[in-house]
Amino acid sequence: MNYKTLHKFSYGLYVVSSKKGNNFNGQIANTVFQVTSEPPTIAVSINKQNLTHQFIKESRKFAISILSKETPMKFIGHFGFKSGVKIDKFKDVNYKVSNADVPIVLENAVAYLTAEVIKEVNVGTHTVFIGKVVEAEIINDKEPMTYAYYHEVKRGKAPKTAPTYIKEEIKKEVEKMAKYRCEVCGYVYDPEKGDPDGGIAPGTKFEDIPNDWVCPVCSASKDEFERVE
């Protein structure tokens, strides 16, 4: 079976957020879709290991922020590869609290929706939460990011807890300058492309990058990279 066939499905990129008591949390998700139009309902698939899953289970509410094509990788890494158990993901992030008392991420978003859970479906490692839309607003007219753009242009990777995660074999590269892979999030540093957003010019060998440089996706340190053989 060719599992890469599943990559042909079209997805977007979103921040799914919720609350538990007085605490807020959110995560990156791509499996969000409209179920019906009247009444408007949406569904999202969340891994049971994720903190956001616990928050939605308790509050029965969630918000979806639709991310723009221009969203920085560092922002995606903040919500996608860091745990809300260890950090407050909403610290220093532009957000607001909805009328339904759930946090809505406004930073890098083109629109948002909030929903109340009306049903949940157990699908093994994940739960599909189906929610009735209670609020929906457009923030700006920027182009939303697609999951294909995230993978192919921004060279982003899917977390292991993502519903669309497929383990990829690391292929041998015959290059004059070796590539290095982040052991935390899977980001691959390509010397030919560098990391312009991080001040690393194209053509810079990994060995020549300053020691205080960090992964542009998850902020892992340089010593948490492995050479792609």
Side-chain angles (χ1 to χ4, degrees):
M1 182 183 296
N2 187 350
Y3 287 99
K4 289 189 176 180
T5 302
L6 298 171
H7 287 167
K8 299 302 181 182
F9 282 109
S10 178
Y11 303 94
L13 206 65
Y14 317 90
V15 174
V16 178
S17 51
S18 188
K19 67 168 294 184
K20 181 179 180 182
N22 296 320
N23 299 318
F24 297 152
N25 195 58
Q27 66 166 78
I28 292 294
N30 71 311
T31 312
V32 176
F33 55 94
Q34 182 176 345
V35 181
T36 62
S37 58
E38 189 57 45
T41 57
I42 55 176
V44 59
S45 180
I46 303 292
N47 192 290
K48 294 176 182 178
Q49 298 178 18
N50 293 356
L51 188 63
T52 303
H53 184 278
Q54 297 178 25
F55 282 28
I56 297 175
K57 286 279 286 187
E58 178 164 313
S59 70
R60 314 305 292 171
K61 302 173 185 177
F62 61 89
I64 304 291
S65 297
I66 304 171
L67 297 181
S68 79
K69 196 174 183 179
E70 301 168 359
T71 302
M73 289 296 286
K74 189 172 183 179
F75 181 87
I76 296 172
H78 176 75
F79 277 98
F81 291 96
K82 294 185 177 180
S83 172
V85 175
K86 298 180 179 179
I87 65 168
D88 177 4
K89 292 188 180 183
F90 282 80
K91 184 180 180 180
D92 301 323
V93 170
N94 183 19
Y95 74 96
K96 73 173 186 177
V97 179
S98 73
N99 295 331
D101 200 29
V102 289
I104 301 171
V105 174
L106 301 176
E107 193 168 337
N108 298 306
V110 301
Y112 66 83
L113 308 95
T114 63
E116 297 177 348
V117 176
I118 57 175
K119 187 175 183 179
E120 60 181 78
V121 182
N122 183 350
V123 287
T125 57
H126 291 65
T127 297
V128 175
F129 294 102
I130 301 172
K132 178 182 177 181
V133 176
V134 295
E135 187 177 1
E137 295 292 339
I138 295 175
I139 299 174
N140 55 59
D141 60 357
K142 293 181 180 179
E143 186 177 353
M145 185 185 298
T146 64
Y147 203 51
Y149 185 88
Y150 167 69
H151 274 289
E152 296 167 11
V153 178
K154 288 186 171 284
R155 295 178 289 133
K157 301 295 182 181
K160 291 182 179 180
T161 55
T164 55
Y165 174 77
I166 297 175
K167 185 175 181 180
E168 297 181 4
E169 294 183 3
I170 301 175
K171 297 180 180 179
K172 291 185 178 181
E173 301 283 348
V174 181
E175 299 283 351
K176 292 182 179 179
M177 294 185 290
K179 296 180 181 179
Y180 282 76
R181 177 179 179 274
C182 176
E183 296 177 321
V184 177
C185 72
Y187 166 83
V188 176
Y189 174 77
D190 185 344
E192 291 189 0
K193 297 179 180 179
D195 175 24
D197 291 341
I200 308 300
T204 303
K205 292 181 179 180
F206 185 82
E207 293 80 2
D208 295 335
I209 296 176
N211 290 330
D212 60 354
W213 175 83
V214 297
C215 175
V217 176
C218 70
S219 299
S221 60
K222 186 179 175 183
D223 59 7
E224 293 183 273
F225 278 69
E226 62 179 357
R227 183 183 176 115
V228 176
E229 300 292 349

